[in-house]
Amino acid sequence: MPQIIAIEFNNKLSSNTFRILLDHLPVEKQAKIRSFRRYEDALRTLFGELLVRTSVMEMYQIPNNCIQFNSNCYGKPFLVHPEPFHFNISHSGHWVVLAIDSNPIGIDIEKIQPFDLSTAECFFSKNEYADLIRKPSIEQLSYFYDLWTLKESYIKYIGKGLSQDLNSFSIQCDNGVFKLTSQEEAPCVFFTQYDIDPDYKLSLCSLSQNSPSIVLIKSCDELIKQFSAKI
């Protein structure tokens, strides 16, 4: 069964703690995190890395310095390990989320903000756009982010990222259940949504019908303690 872990962080991490944690990451990851202009972006990437590394260390009893990641031709990372371990990270605002499974998986979280219908018309399929504009205006904002996070979770599941056009497939709601539809034969995937914050939308795409019923939410201090205890 998939697992979902979330961190709600703030900007109060001391510069000394930030440096210590960063020192335990591979040099290429350190360089990426240091390259961000905005401190919040650096923190999101740092905590995403800590989430997945702590999970790997706990599941497989692998030392942090022995964890190896690689990436597919589209840039989606995967763990170099004999056992199947698939993961996906997403972050938005003050949330960082991690999805783990033995099969490919995709997750997306987005902060709900005003949007322009032209964005939906550009990135959604014709059927999705028609479904959206049929909604009462008061429901359109929520439904836009339903579709956006569901579609992002799917392209992250298939591991193609932005190389897969968002309007090349459709997701539609059938009796309260979101399903994937397209002109080609659609793979059998399942979508689940979670309410962890009223200002955010969180969607999961996986092969499992038995998605977790809850998201495990950890504090920053808890994650740092867990990671530090394993290194």
Side-chain angles (χ1 to χ4, degrees), residues 1-5 48 51-53 55-56 59-60 68-72 76-90 97-107 153 156-160 204-208 212:
M1 178 185 294
Q3 299 178 45
I4 306 174
I5 308 169
L51 271 174
V52 68
R53 285 179 172 273
S55 298
V56 171
M59 291 179 68
Y60 299 116
Q68 290 184 301
F69 294 107
N70 207 333
S71 58
N72 67 12
K76 183 177 181 179
F78 62 87
L79 177 69
V80 179
H81 192 265
E83 296 183 43
F85 178 91
H86 297 268
F87 71 96
N88 195 224
I89 298 170
S90 181
V97 294
L98 166 71
I100 301 170
D101 198 9
S102 57
N103 294 299
I105 197 163
I107 195 166
S153 73
K156 295 174 79 175
Y157 155 80
I158 61 176
K160 291 187 176 181
L204 178 78
C205 178
S206 74
L207 290 172
S208 176

Side-chain angles (χ1 to χ4, degrees), residues 19 21 27 35 64 80 123:
R19 179 187 57 77
L21 293 171
V27 291
S35 71
N64 176 57
V80 179
F123 290 103

Side-chain angles (χ1 to χ4, degrees), residues 122-125 128 147-148 151-152 155 161-162 164-170:
C122 178
F123 290 103
F124 289 176
S125 70
E128 289 169 334
L147 289 178
W148 188 273
K151 290 170 77 67
E152 286 280 355
I155 64 171
L162 295 177
Q164 176 81 31
D165 290 335
L166 284 175
N167 58 12
S168 64
F169 61 94
S170 293

Side-chain angles (χ1 to χ4, degrees), residues 175-186:
N175 293 321
V177 178
F178 284 101
K179 296 181 179 180
L180 176 67
T181 62
S182 66
Q183 293 181 347
E184 301 176 355
E185 183 178 353

Side-chain angles (χ1 to χ4, degrees), residues 6-221:
I7 294 292
E8 185 176 18
F9 73 91
N10 54 45
N11 297 335
K12 296 181 180 179
L13 189 68
S14 72
S15 58
N16 185 57
T17 301
F18 180 87
R19 179 187 57 77
I20 291 172
L21 293 171
L22 202 60
D23 284 345
H24 288 286
L25 302 184
V27 291
E28 64 273 12
K29 183 64 68 172
Q30 293 184 36
K32 178 181 178 180
I33 292 173
R34 288 194 174 101
S35 71
F36 288 112
R37 293 184 178 182
R38 298 175 67 240
Y39 184 56
E40 293 86 351
D41 293 331
L43 284 180
R44 292 184 189 104
T45 305
L46 173 64
F47 281 120
E49 190 73 11
L50 297 184
L51 271 174
V52 68
R53 285 179 172 273
T54 301
S55 298
V56 171
M57 288 189 285
E58 290 182 344
M59 291 179 68
Y60 299 116
Q61 302 302 306
I62 301 175
N64 176 57
N65 59 4
C66 291
I67 296 174
Q68 290 184 301
F69 294 107
N70 207 333
S71 58
N72 67 12
C73 59
Y74 299 101
K76 183 177 181 179
F78 62 87
L79 177 69
V80 179
H81 192 265
E83 296 183 43
F85 178 91
H86 297 268
F87 71 96
N88 195 224
I89 298 170
S90 181
H91 45 69
S92 180
H94 53 252
W95 285 100
V96 180
V97 294
L98 166 71
I100 301 170
D101 198 9
S102 57
N103 294 299
I105 197 163
I107 195 166
D108 189 60
I109 187 169
E110 298 289 343
K111 187 174 183 179
I112 299 172
Q113 303 179 78
F115 77 101
D116 193 299
L117 278 174
S118 62
T119 301
E121 189 173 19
C122 178
F123 290 103
F124 289 176
S125 70
K126 291 181 179 179
N127 289 339
E128 289 169 334
Y129 182 71
D131 289 342
L132 175 65
I133 62 176
R134 276 196 295 264
K135 295 283 184 184
S137 58
I138 195 172
E139 297 177 15
Q140 288 182 359
L141 180 63
S142 179
Y143 193 69
F144 172 86
Y145 279 98
D146 281 333
L147 289 178
W148 188 273
T149 56
L150 289 163
K151 290 170 77 67
E152 286 280 355
S153 73
Y154 174 68
I155 64 171
K156 295 174 79 175
Y157 155 80
I158 61 176
K160 291 187 176 181
L162 295 177
S163 66
Q164 176 81 31
D165 290 335
L166 284 175
N167 58 12
S168 64
F169 61 94
S170 293
I171 294 176
Q172 294 182 283
C173 190
D174 182 12
N175 293 321
V177 178
F178 284 101
K179 296 181 179 180
L180 176 67
T181 62
S182 66
Q183 293 181 347
E184 301 176 355
E185 183 178 353
C188 185
V189 295
F190 300 93
F191 295 104
T192 311
Q193 293 184 293
Y194 299 91
D195 295 321
I196 63 171
D197 189 315
D199 295 327
Y200 291 76
K201 288 282 186 175
L202 174 60
S203 297
L204 178 78
C205 178
S206 74
L207 290 172
S208 176
Q209 286 183 282
N210 300 313
S211 296
S213 58
I214 61 171
V215 175
L216 176 60
I217 299 177
K218 297 183 179 182
S219 68
C220 294
D221 289 343

